[in-house]
Amino acid sequence: MRILSILAQKPYATGSGVYCTELIGELARAGHTQALICGIDAEEPYFDEFCERVSEVAVFPVRFNSQELPFDILGMSDVMPYRSTRYRDLTKTQTEAFEQTFLHTIRKAIEEFQPELILCHHLYFLSALVLEQDFSCKIAVICHGTCLRQLGTHSFERERILKALASSDRIFALQAVQKQEIERLLDYPADRIAVIGNGYNPAIFYGASEKNAIARGRNAPGESFFDNDLPVIEMAYAGKISRSKGLLSLLAAIDRADLLGHRAILYLAGNAGDRTEYARIVERAARCRHRVEFLGHKTQQELAELYRRVQLFVFASYYEGLGLSAIEAMATGLYAVVSDTPGLQDWILSKVAEPPAEFVPLPTMTEHDVPVESELAEYERAFAEAITRQIRRLRANGYRRHSVSMEVFSWESVAKHILSEMREE
């Protein structure tokens, strides 16, 4: 099948971007011919590397900060891990430029590529533009959660978007709570919404090999992560460096946690889009009782290497689509402490009876990702206690990686589910 994927933002810098890229990779392995339309910056440092990685895919970039689009790339979150423009702040001229530039590229891609199926990412403006056209192929839209937040918090082209989305052949949700929200928000038939979940790439995210462990000076698999005379627990976080990811709460929780005699190093992998938020997090990290290192952007391969080096994954985000990074971390053998964002625990438990994760209940949210201030102390206390429990499990297990199989979370199953649903159309 000839499949065209469409994404308004970078295909490698956010959860939805990684999802799009990994899905393309799986569809390619299944023998499907593919093209991709994506938004990037005019001067994009990672784009050539990305194109080399997906050399079998025809890529049609739409460049922001260019003559056609003289403003920052649009973000599906109000704060992205790079410089971005909020949809709600677009002027009429900018909105028209976005529409004209993307439609020009879409029509070019359709003329040259002749897709049989279009997969749009996000239930939002670009997907609506595609659905408004009279293209002679099936069109499905994948919801990543942030699009629902945009639709629920401001009115940018809202009625136009909702009207266009009603004409899609299928809508794909990542988990059951999302499906319910889509039904409510769009008044869309439940039998045309399919829950497809998330996946991880087992060629990248796997446990530490004996060779790698020895090369790092670590012990081989099945032995201790570190010598008893070096009681250090290394923790990793991956995502945006922003307030909505709960990083201030995470730092407070690590300070508060009983680490059972260990010292801690926390690695924060990811970029920041809001410099004020970033400065506040850096300042709080400097006051942390334990060492905190800001690693910046990491590729999927670099993230996997980080996960294979540390002992615990921690993720205190106030809002998530489905927690892709948590699945990837657990696939490398890490125990995890994660916020119990809507739908995440139910989805994981539907596939793994006893996951190696502690799910920490979130505080009440006044908006999608703004917690009630008076409940933060209790959230941070609960997160700290969950960290302590996981360290206790690690110690009881001889500091070995967990033995829970995460193989049921595969991109292959996601791809097969999508194609099966579209063949039924």
Side-chain angles (χ1 to χ4, degrees):
M1 184 182 290
R2 300 179 69 81
I3 304 171
L4 171 63
S5 295
I6 300 179
L7 177 72
Q9 57 197 51
K10 300 181 185 184
Y12 37 76
T14 63
S16 59
V18 171
Y19 193 107
C20 177
T21 299
E22 291 295 341
L23 182 57
I24 286 172
E26 186 55 48
L27 290 168
R29 285 187 286 274
H32 300 281
T33 305
Q34 293 170 95
L36 168 68
I37 295 170
C38 60
I40 63 168
D41 276 321
E43 301 295 330
E44 180 57 51
Y46 302 106
F47 184 62
D48 290 342
E49 177 186 332
F50 169 76
C51 289
E52 289 177 11
R53 214 173 93 210
V54 294
S55 57
E56 73 281 7
V57 178
V59 181
F60 297 84
V62 174
R63 296 181 183 273
F64 288 79
N65 288 310
S66 62
Q67 183 176 352
E68 294 78 18
L69 297 174
F71 50 92
D72 289 331
I73 194 167
L74 271 294
M76 282 309 306
S77 294
D78 287 347
V79 178
M80 298 291 284
Y82 45 77
R83 284 176 49 190
S84 62
T85 302
R86 299 193 309 176
Y87 278 95
R88 70 184 72 183
D89 295 332
L90 283 178
T91 66
K92 181 179 179 181
T93 299
Q94 289 172 329
T95 302
E96 290 173 350
F98 178 95
E99 181 171 346
Q100 292 167 7
T101 305
F102 265 98
L103 284 178
H104 173 77
T105 302
I106 291 166
R107 289 174 182 134
K108 177 184 177 184
I110 286 178
E111 180 180 351
E112 294 180 9
F113 184 68
Q114 296 291 306
E116 300 165 77
L117 170 63
I118 296 177
L119 288 177
C120 296
H121 289 263
H122 297 294
L123 300 172
Y124 210 58
F125 188 48
L126 182 54
S127 298
L129 295 181
V130 175
L131 288 163
E132 288 174 343
Q133 313 308 306
D134 187 22
F135 297 137
S136 57
C137 61
K138 295 177 180 179
I139 301 173
V141 187
I142 300 174
C143 174
H144 293 279
T146 49
C147 45
L148 299 177
R149 178 169 53 182
Q150 293 289 333
L151 286 168
T153 55
H154 60 87
S155 61
F156 171 80
E157 297 287 351
R158 192 174 189 275
E159 296 308 314
R160 180 182 178 185
I161 292 169
L162 295 178
K163 180 180 178 181
L165 290 173
S167 65
S168 61
D169 294 299
R170 276 287 191 279
I171 289 178
F172 295 113
L174 301 189
Q175 34 95 336
V177 173
Q178 268 184 17
K179 178 178 178 180
Q180 294 168 4
E181 192 170 353
I182 293 167
E183 290 179 47
R184 178 189 58 78
L185 186 64
L186 302 184
D187 192 25
Y188 194 84
D191 61 357
R192 286 167 58 195
I193 306 172
V195 176
I196 56 174
N198 217 333
Y200 77 94
N201 189 336
I204 298 175
F205 295 96
Y206 53 85
S209 69
E210 184 171 352
K211 178 181 178 181
N212 287 341
I214 293 172
R216 288 198 310 272
R218 303 273 172 177
N219 295 319
E223 298 181 6
S224 171
F225 274 117
F226 43 77
D227 297 330
N228 289 333
D229 61 350
L230 186 61
V232 177
I233 289 287
E234 293 175 289
M235 308 181 192
Y237 159 91
K240 283 184 298 187
I241 308 302
S242 71
R243 174 204 58 79
S244 65
K245 294 296 185 180
L247 286 177
L248 293 174
S249 288
L250 175 60
L251 292 168
I254 290 173
D255 268 350
R256 188 168 182 167
D258 178 359
L259 301 186
L260 307 180
H262 300 92
R263 292 178 291 116
I265 302 176
L266 172 63
Y267 300 101
L268 302 176
N271 283 343
D274 186 307
R275 305 313 298 179
T276 301
E277 285 191 5
Y278 179 72
R280 186 181 175 195
I281 292 166
V282 169
E283 187 275 331
R284 177 62 183 85
R287 293 188 285 108
C288 193
R289 291 171 50 213
H290 303 280
R291 182 170 148 198
V292 181
E293 294 191 14
F294 291 82
L295 304 181
H297 172 78
K298 293 294 177 184
T299 66
Q300 290 279 278
Q301 289 81 1
E302 289 169 337
L303 272 182
E305 283 300 317
L306 172 66
Y307 294 158
R308 284 190 282 272
R309 196 178 83 210
V310 305
Q311 295 83 52
L312 190 63
F313 178 78
V314 285
F315 199 76
S317 181
Y318 301 137
Y319 182 88
E320 283 300 308
L322 196 54
L324 171 62
S325 57
I327 300 299
E328 292 170 340
M330 287 188 284
T332 67
L334 286 181
Y335 289 85
V337 179
V338 299
S339 53
D340 191 12
T341 51
L344 175 63
Q345 184 172 182
D346 289 344
W347 178 69
I348 291 177
L349 289 174
S350 72
K351 292 180 175 291
V352 177
E354 297 182 3
E358 285 270 345
F359 300 94
V360 182
L362 282 167
T364 304
M365 297 291 159
T366 57
E367 297 176 27
H368 283 80
D369 58 7
V370 180
V372 172
E373 193 72 26
S374 61
E375 296 183 19
L376 281 178
E378 173 58 24
Y379 174 58
E380 291 156 6
R381 181 199 62 77
F383 208 97
E385 291 178 355
I387 289 174
T388 301
R389 287 193 296 271
Q390 290 293 54
I391 293 175
R392 192 170 283 120
R393 289 188 182 101
L394 264 170
R395 188 169 66 179
N397 196 34
Y399 298 99
R400 300 179 184 90
R401 291 179 179 268
H402 71 75
S403 58
V404 179
S405 173
M406 304 297 290
E407 292 178 0
V408 291
F409 300 98
S410 72
W411 290 116
E412 181 182 7
S413 65
V414 173
K416 284 182 176 179
H417 197 160
I418 289 173
L419 294 178
S420 173
E421 289 284 338
M422 297 314 298
R423 289 190 183 107
E424 290 177 6
E425 265 300 314

